[in-house]
Amino acid sequence: MTTTAQRASAPAAARFHGTPVHATLIHAIICVSYFMVILDNSIVFTGLPQIRSDMGVSETGLSWITNAYVLVFGGLLLLGARAGDLFGRRRVFLFSLIVFSLTSLLVGAAQTQWWLIGARALQGIGAAVLAPSALSLLTRNFAEGRARNRAMAAYSAVAGLGAAFGLVVGGLVADLISWRAGFFLTSRSAS
């Protein structure tokens, strides 16, 4: 049996519930996935003016493009967390990643306003399941203390970077290529 002092002095990899390579891989996959979710959400904001001109979407329609995602995401967040408890965190995480990637493709391929709004709502479902299952995997796979604190710090930093990077990348991609390209980018990167 180890004491608290022994656990505190153990290297971070030893406090992970697996091998160091496994810890790094899990952490990288979770952070990249979360980065793509945040990036994708930021890309929408910079693409709205081009969406309006390309598809003839009204001001109300533009607000629904963002609100459909936010309402579904917020409304299903607790259910997404419970799904991980019921069906297994890793399985639910992978499923939500696939859903989010496929719906990013649907958003990029949207031909009508309603298609775009519906695809954004479906994307909110994927994100509502992905976010809590990613956090759950982090807390389950990294022991309490320094290892978990570092993992959570990196996870939080990814959110900030994704938001900032999404605005820059989204603006450049929307201006140079198309608003659709940003969603195709995130669907490829997340899968």
Side-chain angles (χ1 to χ4, degrees), residues 66-89:
T66 55
N67 291 341
Y69 175 89
V70 172
L71 288 171
V72 172
F73 175 74
L76 296 178
L77 202 53
L78 291 175
L79 186 60
R82 182 68 177 139
D85 295 337
L86 294 174
F87 304 111
R89 290 166 182 87

Side-chain angles (χ1 to χ4, degrees), residues 47-58 62 179:
L48 286 176
Q50 200 174 51
I51 291 170
R52 182 178 184 173
S53 64
D54 286 356
M55 299 179 81
V57 178
S58 67
L62 287 178
W179 65 269

Side-chain angles (χ1 to χ4, degrees), residues 8-184:
S9 65
R15 290 191 310 260
F16 172 74
H17 304 294
T19 65
V21 172
H22 191 234
T24 303
L25 183 62
I26 285 175
H27 195 241
I29 290 170
I30 290 170
C31 286
V32 167
S33 302
Y34 193 57
F35 180 79
M36 287 299 116
V37 169
I38 300 296
L39 179 75
D40 193 83
N41 206 27
S42 297
I43 285 173
V44 170
F45 297 121
T46 57
L48 286 176
Q50 200 174 51
I51 291 170
R52 182 178 184 173
S53 64
D54 286 356
M55 299 179 81
V57 178
S58 67
E59 289 292 326
T60 304
L62 287 178
S63 69
W64 273 109
I65 290 169
T66 55
N67 291 341
Y69 175 89
V70 172
L71 288 171
V72 172
F73 175 74
L76 296 178
L77 202 53
L78 291 175
L79 186 60
R82 182 68 177 139
D85 295 337
L86 294 174
F87 304 111
R89 290 166 182 87
R90 188 173 52 160
R91 180 180 296 142
V92 168
F93 175 77
L94 293 173
F95 175 76
S96 65
L97 195 55
I98 291 167
V99 168
F100 189 83
S101 297
L102 291 176
T103 55
S104 285
L105 283 173
L106 283 175
V107 170
Q111 298 300 311
T112 66
Q113 173 181 333
W114 296 110
W115 177 349
L116 182 58
I117 292 169
R120 288 286 291 160
L122 290 173
Q123 201 174 35
I125 293 171
V129 177
L130 187 124
S133 60
L135 270 175
S136 180
L137 284 172
L138 276 179
T139 57
R140 223 140 139 94
N141 286 300
F142 291 89
E144 193 173 338
R146 188 174 179 166
R148 186 180 296 169
N149 291 346
R150 284 184 165 191
M152 295 301 284
Y155 182 80
S156 300
V158 161
L161 289 172
F165 196 62
L167 294 173
V168 173
V169 169
L172 285 172
V173 169
D175 191 45
L176 299 174
I177 302 170
S178 167
W179 65 269
R180 298 174 189 276
F183 293 101
F184 293 139

